[in-house]
Each structure stands twice: as C-alpha cells, then as structure tokens.
Amino acid sequence: MSVPRPVFLLTDFGIGGYYAGVMRGVIAARAPGCAIHDLSHGIRPGHCREAAYVLEAALPFLPADAVVVVVVDPGVGSPRRILGLRLRERSLLAPDNGILTPFFEDPQAVLHQVDREDLSLPERSRTFHGRDVFAPVAASLATGLREEELGVRVADPFRLEIAAAREEPPGLRGEIVYVDPFGNLVSNIDRATLQSWRGDRRVRVSVKGAIVGPVVGTYADVAVGQLLAYVGSTGHLEVAVRDGRADTALGAGVGATIDVEVSA
Amino acid sequence: MSVPRPVFLLTDFGIGGYYAGVMRGVIAARAPGCAIHDLSHGIRPGHCREAAYVLEAALPFLPADAVVVVVVDPGVGSPRRILGLRLRERSLLAPDNGILTPFFEDPQAVLHQVDREDLSLPERSRTFHGRDVFAPVAASLATGLREEELGVRVADPFRLEIAAAREEPPGLRGEIVYVDPFGNLVSNIDRATLQSWRGDRRVRVSVKGAIVGPVVGTYADVAVGQLLAYVGSTGHLEVAVRDGRADTALGAGVGATIDVEVSA
Amino acid sequence: MSVPRPVFLLTDFGIGGYYAGVMRGVIAARAPGCAIHDLSHGIRPGHCREAAYVLEAALPFLPADAVVVVVVDPGVGSPRRILGLRLRERSLLAPDNGILTPFFEDPQAVLHQVDREDLSLPERSRTFHGRDVFAPVAASLATGLREEELGVRVADPFRLEIAAAREEPPGLRGEIVYVDPFGNLVSNIDRATLQSWRGDRRVRVSVKGAIVGPVVGTYADVAVGQLLAYVGSTGHLEVAVRDGRADTALGAGVGATIDVEVSA
C-alpha cells in the first residue's frame, strides 16, 4: 500500500481543547501512516474571511499533493453543504460558507459537493462535523479517493465578498484583513497594486488616519519601537512596530482602513 | 522492524512551554518512525476530572492500537503509582490519580502498575515524569512491550468520584463538567438519561437558574447571539450561545448546576 | 531512499497563527516522510535568551540525529547571518543572534554560515526567513545535506551574555531565567553550584527578598498553596507554588533575583 497523502488542518478550534486532537485520531485510525499537520487552529471562531486569507497565504507552500481540511463552520448541522475542491494535485475540504472563494476563479479548480454519507462516521453528530465528516473524508482522500467520488459537481458555491483595495484620490485605500500573532497588520493592498499606483513616487502610509511612514524593506530599517510599513511575506502591504505590536499601538484590527498617499 | 503504534499525548502542560515538545523528543528518540499526536495540552493544571472527561470523550475515535499518555500529575515525585491500562488493543498510561476512572468498569480493562525502573530515562527527576517515565514507557509500548511486562496487576486504583445526573423532582439535575474552547458548557446529563426521563414531554433547560430554553438540534436552530441547549458531539446535554460564548453569557463554568424541567 | 531525519521547530510564532504551519508545509513538501515536531512556539517574541535556555534544556532529550530549527529572529531581513551548528549527529539552525551560545564551548561543535541562496525558496521575503530559508535548509539537512555544504566556517558568532550564579556573601545569588507554563520560576543556579556552595549546611531560598523556604524534593513535600524551592527537571534551582503559580504569588519573572543563604 502506498503512503497516504499529507493532511493539513485549519480550524477555529483554539489551542486549549481536544477537538483538533480527536480529528487527528479519526484520520490516523482510517489512514495509518498519514502525516497530519496543524496549519493553524487559531482562526477567530467563525471568521470565514480570516480562514480564507490564511488558506490563500499558506497553500502555495504546502506539498503538491496535500489534503487541506478547513473547519471554520458556524453553520454546522444546518443544511449548508460541504465542498471538496480539487486544485491541480491538491485537495481542499471546507464548508460551503465562502472560505474557498480565493480559488473559485482558478481555471484549474474543480468543485464537488460531499454527499456520500457512507464516508462519514457511522454516528454523525449535528455539532461536530470536523470529527464526523471532514476527518473521515480527508482520510479517504489521503488514501486514494478521488474528488469525483465525493458527490455532484457544484457550480454555485457561496462566495465571500472579499474587499479589494481601491483608488480613492488622492490616495490608495485598503483595509486590514489579518492581524498576525505579533500584532502585525496585514492589508489587502498587494505589491502589484501598490507598485502600479505609486510608480516612482514617494509614498506615505497611514492606518485609521495615523501616519505610519514610508514603505521600507524590513523591521531593521527603523528603530526599535517605531512603526513601519513594508511589503510582507504574503506580498501584501503590512504595518508593524519593530519589536512591538502595531495592533495595540494603533488600536487597529481587521477592517481598519489603510491609506497610501504621495508624500510631500 | 514493524511500524510503531501511534502515540497520543494528553497533558496540562499548556501551550506556551516546551514540556510536550521534549516528551515528543524522548518518544521519537526511542521509537523512530512513531507518529506522535497532540490530543490536547490544554487541560487546566491539575484538573484530573477534566482530563478524565476528555479522555473518555476522545478515546473511541483514536486508532484501535493507539498508545495514549496522560500527564496531569499534581502528585509527581510523591509515592503515587503510575498505571498502565490495557483496553482491547489500546494502551493508556496515567498517574494513579483517578484519571482512568471512566474505564475501570469495562470488563476488558486490565490494569498494571508501572514499576520497571529500567524503562525510565537513566536520570529520573522528581518533577517531570512525563519526560523521564511516561514518554520512554510509551515508546516501549509503541514498539512492542506488553502491559504484563510493566509491573504487577493493580486491583485498587484511586477512583475519582464522578458526579452523575440525578432526578431532583420536579426536574433532572446535573452539572457542567467541561467548558470547551468556544465557551460551550458540557454537562453530565447524557442522551439516554435525558430521553428516559423526558419521554415525550416538552422540556426547558436552565443553568444556575437562568433559563436557556428547549432542547434543539444544532446552533442554526436559534438566532445569532441566542442561548441554546442541545445534545452535543459527546452525547451529553450542552449549552451554547450561537456565535458567542455561553460561559461568559451565563457566568458559568465547571461545577455549575444544570436543570431540565417540564415546560408549561 | 532513506527516511529523513526528524525535524524539531522552536519559534516565537505564538500559538494563534499559521506561520509554524506553513514552515511545516515547506519541510513536508521538500522532505516527504519527514517527522516534523513542535518543540515549542511559545518563546516570548524576540527573547533570544529564553530560546537559548529552552534549547539547552531540551536538546539532550531529542533524537541523536535531530535537525533543530530555531526561529526567534528579530533581525530578520537585516544582514545578520544564519548559522548551522553541527553537534555530534545533531544539526541546529538559528539566526546569528546568540541563541546557540550554550553550545559554543562544546569541543564537538562545528559552526557554518548558511550562504547557499539556492537552498532557499525561489522568492525570498525579507520578513519571513523561517518559511523561505530555515524551512527549506532544514529539509535539505533532513534529507542528507551536510553542514559543510551550507557555507563557510564561522569563528566569530554573536554571543549572548548568559548570567552565571555568583557568591555574594553571605549567600549565593542567581536570577530567574525562565518562567514555565505553570508559573514555576527556573533559576540559573545549577545543582553542582548549589551543592558545592552549601555542603552540609541547611539553607533557605528567597526570591526578590521574599522567603520561600528550604530546598525540598518535590511539590508533594509542602502543603497545597505553599511556596517551595527544589532542584527541577533541568537540574536548576526552581521555585513553585504547589498547585499554584509562583510567578503571580511572588510578582516575579525573568530577571528576578534569587538568593540562597544559610538558615539559622
């Protein structure tokens, strides 16, 4: 028998409980030898937009044959569907609540509904499909099941409205879409958008009206304790405090406005 | 050489430290190729009853040949014993402080004391048996040691008093035994007890005297922000707030009373 | 192909984010079958001294062929070097910020600079070398690359000043170097120093001037709620509260003074 595909878990289960652990148990029981990895269990409860951001940021770095299981599922037990998305050699499982939105436009994406009850655990609760449906289905995919076998094709998935940065003369306006564990504020302004707008002009970044400064290269380009703006590791404009926390320094979180303007 | 049995860790080590990581190190060193899983490290420090609940809730979902190591051990370094429990093909290691109580009545359970000093690390501290005793013994079990080789049979393990729900006319009274990371309150009233008591009657649930409402199916059956009672994923009556936290909404935690009464 | 060496991750990424998960992804993609373990992600952000302590405490317990990756890296993106340290059969990767100081005096330690850009991910950010450099280099080491292939030898690494306990008549004075998740205070006074200083004398321990008591064996030697001093699992003098937290009880953390004096 061949080695199972590696499985990555992304949930809002938090770090104190055993829910992720019991999902590991189900997968390990049904796919012995499977490498099971925690991508993160720290999505804020029910925050689908945050899960979508993390998934989009992380996916390119995961193994080409990874099975990624996303359980951020405030609608668990309701008639909401569960989706299986094939993206080249990778497989993603998630509730049909918009978390997979970043991949819908990819011409390679193929979307199926999970409607094979025989793949679930024999007793299926109405409040913990991570354990009872997602984990056993992931184990099946890891051991060779193909997406076509999950259920019918889906053409009308639920889509999240994902805000794009926009020109708002005289500047470029975006918003904070993720706060990382260091308190760094990640925006929806990507490198290409920033570059095409600014050209060769010197710019100044502000968050919620508070001036951060020009766009620099990395933390060490400013003094300890200073605010800085830079293009971060996901290619988005970020704001941080060197050796500190920008979220508390600026009183800003997800949804805060970020502006780029030409500096004097 | 055959593949080691998978090992699951359940501790109160918290999520910030390295103690679970160093247990992984010891197991990986002695059982190369062993799949080591975190069941949870979020048991509240020293709370044996909580560990017993999580262990009972999770065990049925773990691989049939799992080795489960429980290190919630406020008596570490004292003469308290360490127990090895064989339950069909699974092996459980835990201090003799009652954590294994839920399994003592199982006719298949066989209990041994761990008294083979040669299985411990050469230098054995008096404050970290997770690293010095539990981890190496788990590695031995994972690689083929049988429980009979751990030490003498034990007939008198320490038992936790585990409160049962009881009829308290005109209602059924239980208590909260676990608060999950979402703030959901899990009680000791199980589905069978609830059903046999209520029969066809409409019932109303309250916690600490505050009315929650009838028993519904899942979160989506109430409006966002509303309290609800439902039979949760472990088959126990639970109380939650949809997209919120019941523990803070009700000011309730482990030990809080929960009552089921016939509604008017 | 042989099985990859096991990899252990030690970072300050915290427990909420996905940064450790994405490092796992990079390693799993480049070293299929590699066992990847979390040693800890709970180092306080940027606290190199704490990372050095944890690394020194944990290393002896890790597999003899472990690859250990330390990403506590406030200077990321600046010209700071990345170091590869060979210590017998183990390999350690860390920024050149002093984290590896505890091993520099080991006659077996061999230190190289990581200056092979071809080992990094093709696009290398300036703020997340954990993902773009440390993880792929770790995967290379896990799959057979030797340290000599990383880059030139290094003779002048950055060294942390690591405070040693000292005689300060009439006593022995040290400081707290680590607070564990239970709130236990770990000092820089090791067993040998303590023994050679005290001889057969009865001693009394205090922290920040507050008397803790004599040195006992383990938690169970004092009553619940009482302070105690004992030689802990890393061979250092520690202070705890039985079934409680010494850090809050004493208002003490890293850097607090600890004194041992002959008792009356």
Side-chain angles (χ1 to χ4, degrees), chain C residues 46-247:
Chain C
H47 280 251
C48 298
R49 181 63 192 85
E50 182 175 320
Y53 170 77
V54 168
L55 189 59
E56 186 179 15
L59 196 69
F61 299 96
L62 305 189
D65 63 343
V67 176
V68 187
V69 185
V70 189
V71 189
V72 177
D73 191 13
V76 61
S78 75
R80 67 91 186 86
R81 299 176 293 191
I82 296 177
L83 302 178
L85 185 142
R86 181 83 177 185
L87 197 59
R88 285 163 285 272
E89 300 305 311
R90 295 192 184 106
S91 301
L92 289 78
L93 282 175
D96 183 21
N97 58 18
I99 287 172
L100 300 176
T101 304
F103 311 103
F104 289 155
E105 301 312 314
D106 189 311
Q108 305 261 9
V110 182
L111 210 51
H112 289 85
Q113 181 173 345
V114 177
D115 51 19
R116 286 267 304 279
E117 289 206 11
D118 60 310
L119 297 177
S120 298
L121 295 194
E123 288 185 63
R124 178 167 149 168
S125 73
R126 290 194 62 193
T127 53
F128 192 6
H129 285 184
R131 179 191 68 191
D132 302 338
V133 185
F134 288 91
V137 171
S140 294
L141 290 169
T143 51
L145 190 87
R146 289 168 305 123
E147 269 77 1
E148 305 87 273
E149 302 173 79
L150 291 174
V152 299
R153 287 284 290 269
V154 170
D156 61 340
F158 183 86
R159 288 165 195 269
L160 281 179
E161 269 192 56
I162 296 185
R166 64 180 189 283
E167 275 194 65
E168 186 145 313
L172 184 66
R173 169 163 285 192
E175 66 181 65
I176 302 304
V177 294
Y178 183 65
V179 180
D180 82 6
F182 297 102
N184 300 338
L185 307 168
V186 184
S187 80
N188 61 347
I189 302 178
D190 63 27
R191 183 187 277 113
T193 303
L194 178 64
Q195 279 310 334
S196 83
W197 180 83
R198 78 185 285 192
D200 291 330
R201 299 181 294 179
R202 294 178 55 196
V203 296
R204 187 175 81 175
V205 175
S206 55
V207 171
K208 287 175 68 178
I211 295 173
V212 171
V215 178
V216 300
T218 189
Y219 310 114
D221 293 339
V222 303
V224 169
Q226 293 297 301
L227 284 161
L228 69 150
Y230 58 100
V231 176
S233 64
T234 61
H236 290 80
L237 188 63
E238 297 185 16
V239 169
V241 167
R242 181 173 175 189
D243 299 346
R245 295 191 66 93
D247 56 349

Side-chain angles (χ1 to χ4, degrees), chain B residues 213-231:
Chain B
V215 178
V216 299
T218 190
Y219 310 115
D221 293 338
V222 303
V224 169
Q226 294 297 302
L227 284 161
L228 69 149
Y230 57 100
V231 177

Side-chain angles (χ1 to χ4, degrees), chain B residues 234-246:
Chain B
T234 61
H236 290 80
L237 187 63
E238 297 185 16
V239 169
V241 167
R242 181 173 176 191
D243 299 347
R245 296 190 65 94

Side-chain angles (χ1 to χ4, degrees), chain B residues 53-207:
Chain B
Y53 169 78
V54 168
L55 188 58
E56 186 179 15
L59 196 69
F61 300 96
L62 305 189
D65 63 342
V67 176
V68 187
V69 185
V70 190
V71 189
V72 178
D73 192 12
V76 62
S78 75
R80 67 92 186 84
R81 299 176 293 192
I82 296 178
L83 301 179
L85 184 143
R86 181 81 176 186
L87 197 59
R88 283 163 284 272
E89 300 304 311
R90 295 190 184 109
S91 303
L92 289 77
L93 282 174
D96 183 21
N97 59 18
I99 287 172
L100 300 176
T101 303
F103 310 104
F104 289 156
E105 301 312 314
D106 190 311
Q108 304 261 8
V110 182
L111 208 51
H112 289 84
Q113 181 173 347
V114 178
D115 50 19
R116 287 267 305 277
E117 288 206 12
D118 60 309
L119 298 176
S120 298
L121 296 194
E123 288 186 63
R124 179 167 149 168
S125 74
R126 290 194 60 192
T127 53
F128 192 6
H129 285 184
R131 179 192 70 192
D132 301 338
V133 184
F134 289 92
V137 171
S140 294
L141 290 170
T143 52
L145 190 85
R146 289 170 302 125
E147 269 77 1
E148 305 87 274
E149 303 174 78
L150 291 174
V152 299
R153 287 283 291 269
V154 170
D156 61 341
F158 181 86
R159 287 165 195 269
L160 281 179
E161 268 191 57
I162 296 185
R166 65 180 188 282
E167 273 194 66
E168 186 147 313
L172 183 66
R173 169 162 285 191
E175 66 181 64
I176 302 306
V177 294
Y178 182 66
V179 180
D180 83 5
F182 298 101
N184 300 339
L185 306 168
V186 184
S187 80
N188 60 347
I189 302 178
D190 63 26
R191 184 186 279 112
T193 302
L194 177 64
Q195 280 309 336
S196 82
W197 180 82
R198 79 185 284 193
D200 291 331
R201 298 181 295 179
R202 294 179 55 197
V203 296
R204 188 175 80 175
V205 175
S206 54
V207 170

Side-chain angles (χ1 to χ4, degrees), chain A residues 85-101:
Chain A
L85 186 143
R86 181 82 177 185
L87 197 58
R88 282 162 286 274
E89 300 304 310
R90 294 191 185 108
S91 302
L92 289 78
L93 282 175
D96 182 23
N97 59 17
I99 287 172
L100 301 176
T101 304

